[in-house]
Amino acid sequence: MQPELRTIRSGAPGASQDFAVQQNKVLRNTYMLLALTLIPTAIGAAIGTNLDLSFMRTSPMVSFIVILAVFYGWIYAIERNKDSSLGVALLLGFTLFLGLLLGPLLHRTLGFANGTELVMMAAGGTAAVFFVMAGIASSTKRDFSGLTNFLTVGAIVLMLGVVASMFVQSPVFYMVILGAFVLFSSLMIMWQVNRIVQGGETNYISATLTLYISIYNLFSALLQLLGLGGRND
């Protein structure tokens, strides 16, 4: 697909211009929908901070499996309906769900004396990483599709690491996993935005889904890392 796109750009100026217009439209719609997803996420997080989800800690493995099943099942439903308005509705519902899951972490962090500062730092860091990586992906002429296999393997390794962390009660291992999530999520943002710019992604719902999950994981990992230095007094 990519060689054909490059031929169009160099050999047919009109077609090249149409291609650029189309990809700018996909990128614009992706950013608009991504901004919209923050609303149900914030609502879900506000509700989640007042919910008692401690029962999930009584059987963490079962809770993890159930959440994982809902998570990937919802993603599958969104991808199946990515060409219709139902896909948008499912995506917004998905972000509400993840907001709920984020609630306990926010509640715990805000319990620190400097909790509000930590949340703002995590949000600011997430925004900074997003704009830097998206800027690189949008401005460069390089095609980052070569990262696909690396990111696929990275996702599997991270998943195994999360499972292992349930059995390996090590603060160092925990920090390594969180650091890996920060790096992985940053690369995913750059890869997805570049994929839109290069013409590899033409559906803004799918693109938004990938970017949202990356931003969510990035914020969550940063907040947990910063929370390690939270003050109780």
Side-chain angles (χ1 to χ4, degrees):
M1 183 175 181
Q2 293 302 321
E4 294 177 2
L5 293 176
R6 282 191 282 268
T7 300
I8 289 174
R9 293 176 197 175
S10 60
S16 178
Q17 185 177 11
D18 290 342
F19 169 81
V21 170
Q22 175 63 25
Q23 294 318 112
N24 286 335
K25 180 180 179 182
V26 174
L27 193 59
R28 182 176 64 254
N29 288 342
T30 297
Y31 286 156
M32 289 176 62
L33 183 56
L34 187 61
L36 184 60
T37 62
L38 299 180
I39 297 175
T41 301
I43 294 173
I47 297 173
T49 55
N50 297 305
L51 289 180
D52 183 10
L53 301 179
S54 59
F55 67 91
M56 296 177 63
R57 292 195 293 271
T58 59
S59 183
M61 182 56 70
V62 173
S63 298
F64 176 75
I65 293 174
V66 171
I67 291 175
L68 204 63
V70 174
F71 180 83
Y72 283 107
W74 216 320
I75 289 177
Y76 175 78
I78 293 171
E79 289 293 343
R80 287 277 294 179
N81 296 278
K82 64 182 180 181
D83 296 316
S84 68
S85 57
L86 178 58
V88 175
L90 288 170
L91 176 61
L92 295 178
F94 180 69
T95 63
L96 177 66
F97 168 70
L98 289 186
L100 286 171
L101 295 182
L102 191 63
L105 173 60
L106 287 171
H107 180 75
R108 185 167 65 251
T109 304
L110 291 172
F112 293 126
N114 60 335
T116 302
E117 179 184 349
L118 295 177
V119 173
M120 292 179 63
M121 288 175 62
T126 301
V129 170
F130 175 79
F131 286 120
V132 169
M133 302 308 284
I136 293 173
S138 301
S139 59
T140 185
K141 294 182 180 180
R142 292 186 58 187
D143 186 345
F144 293 129
S145 59
L147 289 173
T148 303
N149 291 335
F150 173 78
L151 291 172
T152 300
V153 173
I156 296 173
V157 172
L158 277 176
M159 186 61 64
L160 294 175
V162 170
V163 174
S165 67
M166 296 181 182
F167 303 97
V168 181
Q169 301 298 319
S170 169
V172 175
F173 184 70
Y174 177 64
M175 290 180 65
V176 169
I177 293 296
L178 292 177
F181 263 106
V182 171
L183 176 60
F184 176 80
S185 300
S186 302
L187 291 175
M188 279 295 295
I189 292 171
M190 183 178 67
W191 173 84
Q192 182 61 85
V193 173
N194 182 256
R195 193 161 176 254
I196 297 172
V197 173
Q198 295 294 327
E201 178 61 81
T202 58
N203 186 282
Y204 70 95
I205 294 178
S206 289
T208 303
L209 176 62
T210 300
L211 287 174
Y212 176 83
I213 293 174
S214 300
I215 292 172
Y216 181 92
N217 286 335
L218 177 61
F219 174 75
S220 177
L222 285 175
L223 189 57
Q224 290 178 75
L225 283 171
L226 291 170
L228 295 176
R231 300 195 307 270
N232 290 315
D233 53 351

